[in-house]
Amino acid sequence: QVQVVESGGGSVQAGGSLRLSCVASGSTNSKRYMGWFRQAPGKEREGVASIYTRSGNTYYADSVKGRFTISQDSAKNTLYLQMNSLKPEDTAMYYCAAGPHYKYYGMLDSRSFDYWGQGTQVTVSS
């Protein structure tokens, strides 16, 4: 089993920055993929950024490329999402997720991820 706990959300003005953190326990094979997803009210959950933990390869949604950076600190079992140049449309609940080695539907596809945190709210005001 993997336990996932996010932190770091909050309220910020447009153009500002936030850094989200996610601590994920469990075996390495259970965390082959790590990612950040978000869901705004009335919208479907969407993949924001993910990382293949073995290689460190990263993947981003077009809407956040150049503004968000995903990174990992394996020694601390921690995943980060640095969010810069935030826009009001980035407002959402952000979820951290971990995916096992035996599932793959795409690096930004929620079906690749089995373990989810409870989410942290990010609100960007104009």
Side-chain angles (χ1 to χ4, degrees), residues 23 32 34 45 50 53 59 62 76 90 99 108:
V23 177
R32 187 63 55 86
M34 294 289 298
R45 187 172 296 189
S50 64
T53 56
Y59 305 83
D62 287 344
K76 296 181 179 179
D90 294 317
L108 294 178

Side-chain angles (χ1 to χ4, degrees), residues 71-86:
S71 61
Q72 61 178 346
D73 184 335
S74 300
K76 296 181 179 179
N77 290 326
T78 301
L79 184 75
Y80 301 100
L81 184 68
Q82 178 66 44
M83 304 185 294
N84 298 329
S85 302
L86 282 161

